[in-house]
Amino acid sequence: MIKFDNVSMRYPQGLDALTNVSFEINKGEMVFLTGHSGAGKSTLLRLILALEQCSGGEVIVNGANLGRLPRSRIPFHRRQIGAVFQDHQLLFDRSVGANVALPLEIAEFPPTEVQRRVRAALDKVGLLNKERMLPARLSGGEQQRVGIARAVVNRPRIILADEPTGNLDPELSAEVMSVFEQFSHVGVSLLIASHDKSLLENFQHRTLALDHGRLISDG
Amino acid sequence: MAKIKQPNTKRTPATRGGAPSQFSHSRIVVHRKVASESLRQLLRAPGTSGLVVVVIAVAMMLPALLLLLTSNLQANMGSVEKAAQITAYFYLAVPDDKALEVSERLQSMAEVADVDYVSASDALTEFSQASGLGATLQSLAQNPLPSALIITPARSSPDTANTIEQSLATFEEVEFVQLDYLWLQRLEALLSLVNQLGGLLLVLVAIGLIVIIGNAIRVGVESKREEIRIIKQFGGADSFIARPFLYTGLYLGAAGGLLACILLLLVLSSLGPAVAEVASLYDSDFQLIGLSVLENLLLITAAAGLGWVSAFTSVLRKIATISA
Ligand SMILES: Nc1ncnc2c1ncn2[C@@H]1O[C@H](COP(=O)(O)OP(=O)(O)O)[C@@H](O)[C@H]1O
Ligand SMILES: [Mg+2]
């Protein structure tokens, strides 16, 4: 599903964010990505979304080499992936429901189907009663869960989550993790970046550890 | 929390490349949703968009008014028929029967609508009545007035008048031909010049409007930069992002066109009485005729199209510069 082959990434300003990273994630696998702040976790996830281009090696997602993906195919590539961003990236001019609906609307689902799926996704994260509210009126933890609902609403084959439990108390974190685990049981591949030690200890999954852009352990 | 349903083993729009045909009927629904959403957004901020609409309306109205006036005048040249009449004066010695013969020959020409024979004695009677010099004229030994033909051409064009003049020159009975087409010719030339200017102005205005509407919409895109960035992160293609802005352009154009039609109507109806007065001085029943319903619809459609084109040419490029 996801394959990194000797990937290096250097930002234009000259910083090496990733150095010679190689790993592979299979269908239905749930993997943690850990490391200190600035280790390169977000950069790695952004490469998978083709939000950045790697400066060395190859990133292969769903069989497609992202380095050779034509510009016009990038939107289609991103639609296969459900993404949870560290800073939520919600649209503050529209309701919670409309935020969650975004991936479905991009994929031009019929409105009735959009509504059905949005409600199902909000129900999964316990926010069904907030559907019509504006995101600005939600707490940080609630905003994060809106982001999670939006990531899963399209039933993607891959889910990427950047610090998805950063703003959640242990109880809500556990619920979010169980939602993710259910997805992995039905064949979705997940890569979850987190430096939350207790989360990694409570949920035993394969863990990729980054240190200053290098992959230092995988297991 | 609810259980997860079996995942997408069947292919959904998200998992395949292009837009699936089975969803095409619902694309209309999707479009309608985008269309009504951008309309609502426009109505929510009527200030700035209202200003753009007024600019569009005024800019479109000016050339439209010019074209309307000149085409009105051109179409009404027929009503200044009298001015196009040709008068042929016979030599004094030409008798009535000879003159009538010429009259018949002229009448048979395709270019001639009507020939009126005014004999020398008729002319004298008319003149003495009109001048009030009845008794004095009666005392003259000889009628000083020639007989004449008043010829009304079939069409009031300079060409027609020319043809008639040339054939009149072939009759030796005719001493002198007087025609009034020269000023008509000048008027026509002037009108067609003004008309061309109106057309040119229309093109310039269209270009100006494309710039103005395009700019207004680019400002709108800029103000949604963050939103657009997020939509791109979730795989929104540029065309998807552009769609509401294209509708905005369409609405701005259509509203501007509608307002231009209303302004034209107001201007024409306020000019009406003054024009009728001038026309009556020329013995003409000339009237200003405004746009027909169809022409109004055409103007609004053209304005809407212009708005769409403006949005299309400016927005896609702008969106492409925003990176996710
Ligand atoms: N847009 C950027 N431009 C330049 N450097 C960046 C950019 N984003 C991240 N970096 C740098 O790349 C390194 C890895 O960052 P990041 O992937 O965000 O780490 P993490 O998510 O593990 O905290 C850091 O040193 C960071 O400063
Ligand atoms: Mg990070």
Side-chain angles (χ1 to χ4, degrees), chain A residues 36-43 45 86 162-163 193 195:
Chain A
H36 61 91
S37 174
K41 305 183 292 294
S42 296
T43 302
L45 296 183
Q86 197 165 7
D162 202 350
E163 310 278 0
H195 62 262

Side-chain angles (χ1 to χ4, degrees), chain B residues 123-147:
Chain B
L124 188 63
T125 315
E126 205 173 298
F127 183 59
S128 59
Q129 275 169 7
S131 63
L133 300 172
T136 320
L137 290 170
Q138 292 299 324
S139 68
L140 289 174
Q142 208 193 341
N143 186 346
L145 297 177
S147 52

